[in-house]
Amino acid sequence: MSEEPGEKPLERDVLDELGDDGLRQLAEALGTDAPGAQDFVADTVSNLSGGLRERAEEGPDGAHEVREAIDEAAQPPLQGVAAFGGLGGPAAGGLLAGLLARMSRPAANAIAKRTGLPAANVARGIELVLPVLVAALSRRAARKK
């Protein structure tokens, strides 16, 4: 989950994708202001991308799981009838979204503890950020193919 030289930070990609409206919505869900929401995005991206890195370093099974999730995320979205069947791929998040979702509870607990934000608000905030993070990671993976 490292950045290529000259590539903007993943956090910036997520903030750009959220835009002002998304950041405002996130701030409301968290019960904070826009700068607090930006800090939350940085914390969430750091926690979840760090979790992917840790999983990949756990051994061959972890490395395979992360590599498979990233490879799937790099695939173009399904088109036509297949897209309506809920068959995964980047649009649905697929393996990468599932892997990140499993990491979201520990991340939410850590972020809530560190920030003092209510755990329920943090969990909701992660739910809002997760699809944006998956989209950003998918775009990066596709560019590297």
Side-chain angles (χ1 to χ4, degrees):
M1 301 308 86
S2 61
E3 280 126 19
E4 297 291 321
E7 187 172 43
K8 65 183 172 179
L10 181 57
E11 169 193 341
R12 183 78 256 155
D13 280 348
V14 172
L15 287 168
D16 289 348
E17 182 74 25
L18 278 171
D20 292 338
D21 289 340
L23 197 60
R24 206 172 3 266
Q25 181 183 5
L26 179 60
E28 287 175 18
L30 293 169
T32 189
D33 56 9
Q38 287 178 329
D39 290 344
F40 175 83
V41 168
D43 220 0
T44 300
V45 168
S46 176
N47 261 280
L48 294 177
S49 62
L52 287 175
R53 219 177 346 269
E54 288 172 13
R55 178 68 180 134
E57 294 170 355
E58 285 177 2
D61 289 343
H64 176 74
E65 181 180 27
V66 171
R67 188 173 40 262
E68 191 173 81
I70 297 295
D71 287 347
E72 180 198 70
Q75 298 302 312
L78 295 172
Q79 302 293 319
V81 176
F84 294 110
L87 299 174
L95 296 173
L96 184 58
L99 187 56
L100 289 170
R102 286 197 324 255
M103 296 173 184
S104 67
R105 180 170 289 214
N109 291 336
I111 293 168
K113 185 180 243 184
R114 193 170 32 259
T115 63
L117 291 168
N121 293 20
V122 171
R124 176 68 184 129
I126 289 177
E127 287 175 8
L128 294 171
V129 171
L130 195 60
V132 179
L133 177 58
V134 168
L137 287 169
S138 296
R139 276 193 297 282
R140 283 175 178 234
R143 282 194 305 263
K144 291 178 184 176
K145 275 199 127 189

